């Protein structure tokens, strides 16, 4: 089988975990390539619901190795809680010790990173990003500032000691003078790190170069993205984005196996759109239709419980996602959520309210988005329950018209249609 990369193609929460879990059936190795426990991934199998944050969504299988890649950031105490939570649902701790691997090159989220994330969000007030407050931005900022702590550092006492001496001086100045936050003593930091070492030790793969060489040569790999293209640090609705690259290019850097290890990129889109946190959302519905989408779709965050903002499918941002995300085919999820609607809308273009100009290309300066309104194409609803459909042919005619129109406009094949949260509720086209 070819190696597949699963990428969120909107603002996150598209149902990537369901698609990853399904595709993992045919993979030997599943790797997360970016992000941290800001992600909230739900897998439903046999009516049982599992919530993942950092652990790859393929972990429920036997005989499949799951790796948290070099491009990820790890808050070890959150990872510990995540494992304990899944263990409480019946998966054994030995299963994790056997199948979960962590790249020694991944970065550690320290307490001071979450302190800074929380402070910055409060200080920004109305201009806040609406982050998950998991310390993601500050961890990546330190990584790129070359003052981060990597997993491998925890296992080399001398390096760690030296590193803490160098960075703590800077971090404490930053905490005190920039953020007016409590500085840390070296003892506190070393104690925190010693605790993290203990949590991560069973999973760190120090033989990753040998193992990944073998996997790249002989195994089927599934790359699992978190967040979505429109939250990408380079291509998303900057600055209302996360601090990593959810695009497939992120897999090329974050999974330690290069761009040539990926053959197909599946972009996961919801049949409508949602967003948590602040930032532009041209097709957002703040009326009762948006409320109905939220209620039927159960649109509340897995990580923060925040209600998700809802709106119609946006072809302008979808075309952009397909381009910059390197998407070769589409998985369309939550089509069943539209079952009860009389009419379904899709934005085919944006109209500039000031100039009247119509554009089909995504305006990347999101501060101009207040000047745009969506130009909608309206589809007739199908008004019937599709959640038990197993084959494309069983879908109502109006649903097929909707799907065909998306495919034609996006010039990209829809290869998976999801009609419910369960593994079984999936149509492979
Ligand atoms: P992710 O972050 O992209 O993995 O998505 P989330 O897990 O945050 O959110 C997707 C939600 O939709 C989860 O509650 C899923 O169980 C649910 N879901 C996934 N696919 C479908 C679908 O086709 N229909 C319905 N009704 N729910 C779905
Ligand atoms: P999954 O993988 C939806 C959003 C936050 C905020 C912005 C920055 O489940 O799709 P951060 O904490 O990353 O610095 O927050 O990104 N965000 C997500 N939105 N789904 C996610 O993950 C998200 N991870 C981060 O709400 O707007
Ligand atoms: Mg999610």
């Amino acid at each position: 089988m070819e190696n597949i990369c699963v990428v969120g193609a909107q603002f996150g929460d598209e149902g990537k975990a369901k698609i990853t879990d399904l595709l993992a059936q045919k993979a030997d190795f599943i790797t997360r390539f970016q992000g941290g426990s800001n992600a909230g991934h739900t897998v439903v199998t046999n009516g049982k619901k599992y919530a993942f944050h950092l652990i790859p969504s393929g972990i429920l299988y036997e005989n499949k190795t799951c790796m948290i890649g070099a491009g990820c950031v790890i808050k070890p105490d959150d990872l510990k809680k995540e494992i304990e939570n899944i263990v409480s649902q019946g998966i054994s701790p030995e299963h994790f010790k056997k199948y979960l691997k962590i790249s020694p090159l991944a970065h550690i989220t320290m307490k001071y990173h979450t302190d800074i994330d929380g402070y910055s969000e409060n200080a920004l007030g109305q201009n806040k990003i609406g982050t998950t407050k998991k310390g993601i931005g500050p961890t990546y900022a330190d990584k790129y500032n070359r003052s981060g702590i990597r997993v491998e550092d925890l296992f080399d006492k001398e390096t760690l000691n030296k590193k803490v001496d160098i960075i703590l001086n800077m971090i404490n100045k930053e905490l005190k003078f920039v953020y007016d936050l409590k500085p840390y003593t070296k003892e506190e930091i070393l104690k925190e790190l010693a605790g993290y070492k203990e949590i991560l030790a069973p999973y760190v793969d120090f033989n990753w170069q040998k193992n990944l060489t073998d996997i790249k040569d002989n195994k089927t790999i599934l790359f699992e993205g978190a967040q979505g293209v429109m939250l990408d640090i380079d291509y998303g609705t900057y600055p209302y984005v996360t601090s990593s690259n959810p695009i497939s290019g992120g897999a090329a850097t974050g999974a330690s196996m290069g761009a040539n290890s990926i053959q197909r990129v599946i972009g996961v889109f919801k049949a409508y759109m949602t967003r948590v946190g602040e930032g532009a959302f041209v097709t957002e519905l703040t009326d009762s239709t948006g409320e109905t989408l939220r209620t039927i779709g159960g649109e509340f965050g897995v990580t923060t419980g925040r209600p998700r903002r809802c709106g119609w499918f946006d072809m302008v941002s979808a075309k952009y996602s397909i381009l910059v995300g390197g998407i070769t085919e589409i998985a369309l999820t939550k089509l069943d959520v539209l079952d009860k609607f009389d009419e379904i809308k899709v934005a085919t273009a944006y109209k500039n309210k000031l100039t009247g100009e119509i554009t089909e290309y995504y305006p990347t300066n999101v501060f101009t988005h207040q000047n745009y309104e969506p130009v909608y194409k309206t589809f007739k609803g199908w008004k019937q329950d599709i959640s038990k459909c197993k084959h494309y042919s069983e879908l109502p005619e109006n649903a097929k018209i909707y799907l065909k129109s998306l495919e034609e406009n996006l010039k990209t094949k829809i290869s998976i249609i999801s009609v419910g949260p369960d593994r079984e509720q999936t149509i492979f086209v």
Side-chain angles (χ1 to χ4, degrees):
M1 200 179 93
E2 294 165 305
N3 296 336
I4 297 176
C5 178
V6 176
V7 163
Q10 294 162 327
F11 294 113
D13 302 326
E14 300 89 348
K16 297 176 290 293
K18 172 184 163 163
I19 303 299
T20 303
D21 167 70
L22 267 177
L23 296 172
Q25 287 175 2
K26 293 199 175 149
D28 306 300
F29 181 78
I30 301 104
T31 176
R32 255 288 287 275
F33 55 84
Q34 45 74 229
S37 43
N38 47 347
H41 294 169
T42 320
V43 173
V44 182
T45 163
N46 296 324
K48 208 165 170 184
K49 198 167 171 173
Y50 299 87
F52 300 111
H53 298 283
L54 187 58
I55 298 171
S57 307
I59 196 73
L60 296 173
Y61 295 98
E62 292 293 332
N63 299 322
K64 295 183 196 296
T65 303
C66 289
M67 186 150 189
I68 298 171
C72 295
V73 295
I74 304 174
K75 190 160 183 296
D77 39 354
D78 278 357
L79 179 67
K80 182 170 180 259
K81 273 187 228 146
E82 186 178 343
I83 293 173
E84 284 168 356
N85 196 27
I86 304 166
V87 165
S88 76
Q89 289 182 279
I91 308 286
S92 74
E94 287 66 40
H95 180 90
F96 286 96
K97 285 185 187 135
K98 200 164 166 193
Y99 298 120
L100 181 65
K101 305 282 172 218
I102 293 175
S103 168
L105 305 187
H107 276 250
I108 301 283
T109 295
M110 299 292 292
K111 283 202 192 94
Y112 53 76
H113 290 129
T114 34
D115 293 348
I116 293 173
D117 197 359
Y119 176 90
S120 304
E121 282 291 278
N122 290 336
L124 281 167
Q126 280 199 326
N127 298 315
K128 69 175 188 217
I129 309 292
T131 74
T132 57
K133 298 193 181 170
K134 296 283 180 190
I136 304 296
T139 311
Y140 278 110
D142 276 354
K143 165 175 164 168
Y144 288 103
N145 199 26
R146 293 156 295 187
S147 52
I149 296 173
R150 304 205 290 194
V151 170
E152 66 179 4
D153 300 335
L154 303 176
F155 297 85
D156 178 348
K157 213 169 174 183
E158 223 169 280
T159 311
L160 192 63
N161 201 35
K162 232 187 257 166
K163 218 167 178 176
V164 169
D165 278 337
I166 298 166
I167 61 179
L168 191 61
N169 186 29
M170 281 193 304
I171 294 288
N172 273 341
K173 281 198 183 116
E174 192 184 342
L175 287 170
K176 197 165 158 209
F177 298 115
V178 180
Y179 298 106
D180 196 21
L181 287 166
K182 184 184 89 53
Y184 286 84
T185 63
K186 186 175 176 187
E187 287 64 40
E188 284 172 321
I189 295 292
L190 288 176
K191 193 172 168 216
E192 184 183 345
L193 292 166
Y196 292 167
K197 177 184 171 187
E198 198 177 317
I199 294 170
L200 301 184
Y203 313 108
V204 181
D205 185 7
F206 290 105
N207 285 325
W208 65 273
Q209 295 177 42
K210 177 179 181 294
N211 291 336
L212 292 188
T213 303
D214 175 51
I215 285 162
K216 194 171 168 177
D217 289 345
N218 303 305
K219 307 280 184 190
T220 303
I221 307 164
L222 184 61
F223 298 85
E224 178 183 16
Q227 290 84 47
V229 176
M230 302 314 290
L231 291 174
D232 184 277
I233 184 75
D234 290 301
Y235 295 102
T237 54
Y238 191 86
Y240 300 95
V241 291
T242 192
S243 298
S244 63
N245 287 114
I247 55 168
S248 61
T253 57
S256 317
M257 285 176 283
N260 66 343
S261 55
I262 303 165
Q263 282 84 47
R264 292 165 62 191
V265 180
I266 300 189
V268 187
F269 289 87
K270 259 180 210 174
Y272 50 99
M273 276 172 95
T274 63
R275 173 165 207 169
V276 260
E278 309 304 314
F281 182 178
V282 175
T283 58
E284 180 173 13
L285 296 162
T286 50
D287 58 5
S288 62
T289 310
E291 193 61 51
T292 308
L293 280 171
R294 185 176 310 115
T295 309
I296 300 178
E299 297 297 355
F300 296 88
V302 181
T303 300
T304 57
R306 291 178 290 178
R308 295 173 181 153
R309 300 154 65 193
C310 296
W312 294 121
F313 190 94
D314 178 358
M315 205 86 87
V316 179
S317 80
K319 273 185 201 157
Y320 175 78
S321 281
I322 288 169
L323 173 70
V324 303
I327 291 166
T328 60
E329 59 201 274
I330 294 170
L332 194 78
T333 63
K334 302 193 108 165
L335 190 62
D336 56 298
V337 173
L338 303 180
D339 281 356
K340 290 200 170 79
F341 285 82
D342 294 323
E343 284 186 337
I344 294 152
K345 293 188 182 179
V346 170
T348 55
Y350 293 172
K351 181 179 174 184
N352 188 317
K353 290 182 276 185
L354 305 177
T355 63
E357 189 196 346
I358 304 276
T359 178
E360 288 181 26
Y361 292 99
Y362 191 74
T364 51
N365 176 356
V366 297
F367 295 100
T368 66
H369 282 203
Q370 62 195 24
N371 301 331
Y372 289 97
E373 62 187 15
V375 178
Y376 282 123
K377 179 171 177 182
T378 304
F379 295 82
K380 271 204 194 119
W382 42 91
K383 308 278 283 179
Q384 76 185 67
D385 179 5
I386 61 165
S387 67
K388 289 181 188 66
C389 293
K390 296 258 185 266
H391 299 282
Y392 185 81
S393 59
E394 294 166 32
L395 287 172
E397 216 41 50
N398 283 350
K400 287 182 189 162
I401 292 170
Y402 175 75
L403 294 167
K404 274 259 153 340
S405 171
L406 292 189
E407 269 189 334
E408 278 168 19
N409 277 284
L410 299 174
K411 297 189 174 67
T412 309
K413 185 179 159 50
I414 300 175
S415 53
I416 301 172
I417 300 162
S418 174
V419 294
D422 207 280
R423 272 182 192 165
E424 305 301 312
Q425 293 173 295
T426 313
I427 299 170
F428 288 94
V429 186

